[in-house]
Amino acid sequence: MITDGQILDEAVRLVSEDVSVTLPVNGRSMLPFIIGGRESVILQKPHDVCVGDVVLAWVEGCRWVVHRIIRIDGDRVTLMGDGNIVGVEHCTMGDVKARVTHVVDAQGKPHDIYNRWRRMGARIWWYLRPIRRYLLFIYRKL
């Protein structure tokens, strides 16, 4: 039986060889921008990542996450899931293994995650952190 870790290791290997990889995502940590269990992400080699990028990273030496970069201090990267209220993760720039370029919806249609509207939405969502708990509650109920 193939484990999630083996699948992710292979995806990282392929991305490091400049192969684009589509990976299904689970969980709620990137709501409302990526819906776990229904959508996938397209991963590519992480050239020149910056604050605001969504990446696949090995965090705190123990697990993989697909989260947004919220701060870069030299080689130290701080990540936070859009669906998280306060939790952050830390890694080094070397632990950022892939950059998410597109979200693939349930019908298989890819959507650019960095188009003008999604970037603006992500920026507004960042400033709504104090009330995210309530907005996410409403979103999950709908």
Side-chain angles (χ1 to χ4, degrees), residues 20-79:
S20 180
V21 174
T22 301
L23 188 72
V25 292
N26 291 314
R28 298 179 172 184
S29 68
M30 284 301 291
L31 287 173
F33 297 100
I34 301 173
I35 303 168
R38 287 191 10 210
E39 296 180 326
S40 299
V41 293
I42 297 176
L43 304 172
Q44 292 186 348
K45 200 168 188 174
H47 302 288
D48 300 324
V49 295
C50 60
V51 171
D53 285 354
V54 177
V55 297
L56 171 68
W58 180 249
V59 296
E60 297 163 358
C62 65
R63 63 192 168 98
W64 292 105
V65 297
V66 172
H67 283 171
R68 192 176 304 276
I69 296 175
I70 62 169
R71 185 176 309 118
I72 299 174
D73 294 316
D75 190 47
R76 188 170 166 83
V77 179
T78 304
L79 304 155

Side-chain angles (χ1 to χ4, degrees), residues 9-13 31 33 50 63-64 77 79 81-83 89 94 96 102-103 108 118 126 132-133 141:
D9 289 344
E10 182 64 11
V12 167
R13 185 187 69 75
L31 287 173
F33 297 100
C50 60
R63 63 192 168 98
W64 292 105
V77 179
L79 304 155
D82 292 336
E89 296 90 8
V96 174
H102 294 79
V103 174
R118 284 184 183 251
W126 172 254
R132 267 189 197 177
R133 168 179 277 128
K141 291 298 178 185

